Amino acid sequence: MLKRHIVLVGFMGCGKSTVGPLVAGRLGEPFVDLDREIERTAGMSIREIFAQEGEAGFRRRETESLRDVLARRPHVVAAGGGLVTQAENRRLLREKAATVWLRAPIDELLRRIARSSDRPLIQGDDGMERARRLYREREPLYAEADFHVDATLGPRQVAELIAAWAAQHGGDPSRGNEERITQRITE
Ligand code: S3P
């Protein structure tokens, strides 16, 4: 039984939405994908939200959905890649969740997201350059996560490592913040 939410963070393409349900399945806990939750409450796709309300509107909705999800019983949550950029979101995460960074080299992530058309922040001719810049800006924020996992491994293996880590910590992986950053598999 989880005592805290487990929130998967990391850049676009790192596999949060694929790995999340696998972790939840292993732990026997519910899963929620925050981007789908935002779309459901808005009645619009992410692309439409960006088009109509801009990134600022999307970020407001993202924080509202995060607050709403974190008020429920503990879930495994797949977050959008930009969640950690907002100070309020980071505060909510510290208060209510244990965080996991699905880490992969930027070139691998770019390869995975190059063909996606549903990520407004990286559309257009200079999309990949913009993605590199965003990654550089965000990397220190992802690194604040309680647990880092090598996301170049297969999704099943990534999920197994996260579930084992959560189990090891009695379902309360970031208990008493002194346990922050307990292990870093990739280092
Ligand atoms: C974003 C990532 C997307 C989505 C939105 C903004 C970002 O989620 O939330 O397009 O700022 O990196 P994924 O990381 O699931 O692609």
Side-chain angles (χ1 to χ4, degrees):
M1 179 74 176
L2 272 183
K3 297 194 186 79
R4 268 178 173 260
H5 299 274
I6 294 183
V7 179
L8 309 184
V9 302
F11 203 66
M12 294 174 259
C14 71
K16 295 161 294 196
S17 303
T18 308
V19 167
L22 300 176
V23 175
R26 284 182 171 273
L27 297 175
E29 301 285 356
F31 169 73
V32 62
D33 189 306
L34 205 62
D35 278 346
R36 301 292 82 76
E37 197 65 15
I38 296 166
E39 291 182 323
R40 192 177 61 74
T41 48
M44 286 188 276
S45 67
I46 303 282
R47 217 179 346 173
E48 287 165 337
I49 298 172
F50 270 81
Q52 293 188 23
E53 303 175 359
E55 183 177 354
F58 173 76
R59 296 295 169 208
R60 269 194 299 278
R61 290 182 178 279
E62 189 177 43
T63 298
E64 272 170 35
S65 290
L66 178 66
R67 200 175 286 121
D68 180 62
V69 163
L70 295 185
R72 302 177 195 168
R73 63 172 270 219
H75 279 61
V76 176
V77 183
L83 186 88
V84 297
T85 62
Q86 308 301 303
E88 172 64 2
N89 297 344
R90 297 200 298 276
R91 194 191 63 74
L92 287 164
L93 291 175
R94 274 194 301 274
E95 191 185 325
K96 304 244 175 159
T99 48
V100 178
W101 178 20
L102 275 64
R103 177 179 174 183
I106 181 63
D107 289 322
E108 167 69 13
L109 296 168
L110 292 181
R111 200 179 57 69
R112 295 188 194 176
I113 62 182
R115 278 182 304 278
S116 87
S117 61
D118 59 352
R119 291 183 165 112
L121 284 180
I122 54 162
Q123 295 311 299
D125 291 344
D126 58 347
M128 291 302 106
E129 220 17 75
R130 211 159 341 115
R132 275 184 198 280
R133 202 186 63 232
L134 285 176
Y135 187 82
R136 274 196 301 274
E137 289 167 10
R138 293 173 179 181
E139 195 173 19
L141 300 173
Y142 297 138
E144 287 178 13
D146 298 304
F147 185 58
H148 298 188
V149 62
D150 180 354
T152 64
L153 300 169
R156 255 181 247 250
Q157 205 179 343
V158 173
E160 197 175 315
L161 290 166
I162 297 170
W165 168 74
Q168 216 175 44
H169 292 269
D172 188 1
S174 62
R175 177 171 25 133
N177 281 343
E178 69 277 8
E179 278 200 65
R180 274 170 65 81
I181 314 191
T182 46
Q183 295 180 38
R184 296 191 176 183
I185 286 179
T186 54
E187 289 173 5

